[in-house]
Amino acid sequence: MFAWLVGSDSRPPVFLKFRSSTTFIILTVATAVFTDIFVYGIIVPVLPFALTERSNIKPDSIQTWISIFLAVYGAALLVASPFCGWLADRSSSRRAPLLIGLLALGACTVMLCIGNSIAVLAAGRVLQGFSAAVVWVVGLALMVDTVGPEGIGQVMGYIGLSMSLAILLAPLLGGVVFAAAGYYAVFAMAFGLIVLDIILRLFMIEKKVAVRWLPDQVVHVPNVGTKKEDPVDPEDGRTSTTDLEMRAISPAQDAEKTGQDDIKQTNSEVTTTPLVRGKWTSRLPAVVTLLASRRLLSALWACLMQASLLTAFDAILPLFVRDTFGWNSTGAGLVFLPLVLASFFGPIVGWASDKIGPRWLATTGFVLSCPFLILLRLVERDTLQQKVLLCALLALVGVGLTLVLIPMMAEITYAVDAKAQRHPPGFFGRNGAYAQAYSLFNMAWAGGCMVGPLLAGLVNQKAGWGPTTLILGVVSIVTAIPVAVWTGGSIWKKRRTDRENVNLGTPE
């Protein structure tokens, strides 16, 4: 009945080339990320109304319950992320977990829409955290499967762009629509976006599935291990593109193409590599092995700090512009525009990361953010010049944070590849450990989203705006140190290798 959609042995799915194209897969994952963050953010303006009018919570308890719901969401995200990563790396398809996550997103949106009790609203937030874990963990792993490590930086730029658009538009549209059309109109927008997301995820076909009908389809093979003769990039530990790709050959072509034993042998090695289980370390979960990588830990720490610096403004910026400039909620929302504006250049930053590596881009981002974070203390009067200064400083901080996030998201892929090259083929399983690595990224990001507002809010309450921005600047410059040392592999090892190559007369 649905052979036209999913295909059969004798008939490929309709629009197969388009549905399995890199562009369509990137569009699908970017839409999934946008939908997840949009549904999360669009509820923020209506949550106080839902608590007071529908759940009969006293006004003086609203702030407490909102904080509880934020914590519930964060806890669900932290708990679900490693499980989703483990499951995705053992699943034969990335699309199936994505569809499960979409069901969770639809269910949580229904619960938040019709819920009239604390229990229902809290359950909805838990499902929302689970859905976010699936989207980020499985979606980013699917990106690596689609473009391979060599092109992951630019793709992460597009993902960062969709994330920033959702962060910018969701609260703004949520507040405007709620004021103009009411409670249910806000959720109507969310349901419309979810329907679009359903269509895209159902129509998407992974490249490793499409190769069944498209023999010439290029498939990127997870770097699950390496041999001694594999060429390795001395800068970041990545193998060359030719070692991470194969041109899949159908059984029919194998039978026809006699005399191509070498090609068939190579294809057989890639697809039927036995899983190696030797040392006791091979029995450890992949997450434990990954966490033994100082390079990956540095990337996760950088992601946690970047999220902390970005979300710290959620707790202090609206209150600052209200008290200093007398701005209302609309102005407090629009003041975030300069901060996220630089993320529109995310694809360019990602492209640069693919070309020159992530080390100095991310280091420059943290170093650049430091002085502009500290200079925010100069904004203290209600004048036009001070408002312009605030927006300019926020824009420059946004540039620095964008230079950090996109390369660090790509660095996680590079670090997993480098770790895999130190182990026998099959050590991380047939799908590699990309999903589990991005589950760690998800946990680091969630941790930063909790630490940032809490730290900035407490310091601002006790010491004021100036000391708060000073601390944020110090955090930024201190984080630049491990990023410069460990991103792309130990800088000391690289310099030692470069000196040895020079002494031996080998070109770097």
Side-chain angles (χ1 to χ4, degrees):
M1 179 178 178
F2 295 102
W4 63 273
L5 180 64
V6 299
S8 63
D9 291 336
S10 59
R11 179 182 179 182
V14 295
F15 307 121
L16 175 61
K17 285 188 177 181
F18 173 72
R19 291 166 60 187
S20 62
S21 65
T22 300
T23 300
F24 186 76
I25 294 175
I26 292 174
L27 175 65
T28 300
V29 176
T31 302
V33 170
F34 180 88
T35 302
D36 174 74
I37 297 178
F38 189 86
V39 172
Y40 171 85
I42 206 173
I43 298 171
V44 172
V46 305
L47 192 56
F49 168 82
L51 291 173
T52 54
E53 300 296 329
R54 300 172 65 87
S55 302
N56 299 319
I57 300 298
K58 295 180 180 179
D60 56 357
S61 300
I62 294 297
Q63 182 64 63
T64 300
W65 281 109
I66 289 178
S67 300
I68 291 174
F69 284 141
L70 287 173
V72 166
Y73 172 86
L77 186 62
L78 286 170
V79 171
S81 290
F83 172 75
C84 291
W86 177 85
L87 183 64
D89 279 337
R90 281 157 179 76
S91 174
S92 60
S93 171
R94 305 287 194 195
R95 192 176 78 159
L98 278 176
L99 291 173
I100 294 173
L102 188 57
L103 291 176
L105 180 62
C108 82
T109 307
V110 171
M111 296 174 72
L112 293 171
C113 179
I114 66 175
N116 55 8
S117 67
I118 291 295
V120 174
L121 293 175
R125 295 294 279 182
V126 170
L127 275 178
Q128 201 170 39
F130 172 77
S131 171
V134 173
V135 167
W136 282 95
V137 172
V138 182
L140 296 183
L142 177 59
M143 289 293 89
V144 183
D145 295 345
T146 302
V147 303
E150 298 300 319
I152 194 62
Q154 187 171 10
V155 170
M156 289 305 177
Y158 291 113
I159 300 299
L161 175 60
S162 67
M163 176 180 66
S164 299
L165 281 173
I167 292 173
L168 177 64
L169 294 176
L172 185 61
L173 289 178
V176 171
V177 172
F178 178 67
Y183 181 79
Y184 290 106
V186 173
F187 286 94
M189 284 195 300
F191 286 122
L193 196 55
I194 290 174
V195 169
L196 173 63
D197 202 359
I198 289 174
I199 295 173
L200 291 176
R201 294 195 205 188
L202 284 175
F203 270 72
M204 181 194 73
I205 298 177
E206 296 177 65
K207 288 185 178 292
K208 63 183 179 183
V209 175
V211 75
R212 176 182 175 187
W213 300 280
L214 297 175
D216 293 332
Q217 179 77 57
V218 175
V219 179
H220 293 273
V221 181
N223 193 358
V224 295
T226 189
K227 298 178 181 179
K228 291 182 180 180
E229 63 268 20
D230 288 341
V232 177
D233 188 327
E235 165 64 19
D236 55 19
R238 289 175 285 170
T239 54
S240 63
T241 305
T242 55
D243 294 300
L244 297 174
E245 297 179 356
M246 71 172 183
R247 190 164 297 275
I249 302 176
S250 67
Q253 286 178 308
D254 286 339
E256 295 174 2
K257 293 189 177 183
T258 58
Q260 300 293 329
D261 293 337
D262 54 335
I263 296 178
K264 285 187 282 185
Q265 177 66 26
T266 302
N267 191 44
S268 174
E269 288 177 359
V270 172
T271 56
T272 61
T273 301
L275 298 183
V276 176
R277 296 295 176 195
K279 302 166 85 174
W280 66 270
T281 53
S282 66
R283 294 190 292 271
L284 293 174
V287 169
V288 176
T289 305
L290 292 175
L291 287 175
S293 168
R294 286 169 290 187
R295 177 178 177 179
L296 181 62
L297 288 176
S298 173
L300 294 175
W301 176 254
C303 291
L304 187 148
M305 288 296 100
Q306 196 273 354
S308 298
L309 293 172
L310 182 63
T311 58
F313 289 102
D314 292 342
I316 61 175
L317 192 56
L319 294 176
F320 176 76
V321 297
R322 183 199 65 183
D323 297 338
T324 305
F325 305 142
W327 288 357
N328 57 19
S329 57
T330 302
L334 291 175
V335 77
F336 284 92
L337 180 59
L339 194 59
V340 301
L341 199 58
S343 62
F344 287 87
F345 299 96
I348 298 176
V349 175
W351 172 84
S353 178
D354 287 333
K355 296 299 181 183
I356 65 175
R359 185 194 307 271
W360 299 119
L361 284 172
T363 303
T364 301
F366 278 120
V367 173
L368 180 67
S369 298
C370 172
F372 299 121
L373 284 167
I374 296 175
L375 288 174
L376 284 169
R377 66 194 293 119
L378 299 179
V379 181
E380 53 186 13
R381 298 185 304 278
D382 185 11
T383 64
L384 178 60
Q385 291 81 2
Q386 293 273 280
K387 294 173 183 176
V388 171
L389 176 62
L390 175 64
C391 292
L393 290 173
L394 289 175
L396 291 168
V397 170
V399 170
L401 296 181
T402 300
L403 288 174
V404 171
L405 179 61
I406 306 303
M408 284 297 99
M409 292 173 70
E411 167 69 0
I412 290 174
T413 296
Y414 305 153
V416 172
D417 277 352
K419 195 69 175 176
Q421 289 168 15
R422 301 188 185 97
H423 295 86
F427 185 85
F428 284 134
R430 301 192 188 281
N431 290 330
Y434 296 127
Q436 293 176 81
Y438 280 109
S439 74
L440 295 174
F441 160 77
N442 218 26
M443 296 174 70
W445 179 266
C449 291
M450 289 189 291
V451 170
L454 182 62
L455 173 65
L458 290 176
V459 174
N460 189 50
Q461 184 177 4
K462 296 294 184 181
W465 172 258
T468 303
T469 60
L470 175 62
I471 290 177
L472 294 178
V474 171
V475 168
S476 181
I477 195 66
V478 169
T479 307
I481 299 174
V483 170
V485 172
W486 294 111
T487 300
S490 171
I491 194 172
W492 313 121
K493 289 183 179 179
K494 181 182 181 301
R495 289 182 175 179
R496 185 166 60 249
T497 301
D498 291 345
R499 285 196 300 268
E500 292 174 354
N501 289 338
V502 171
N503 293 335
L504 293 173
T506 304
E508 294 184 14

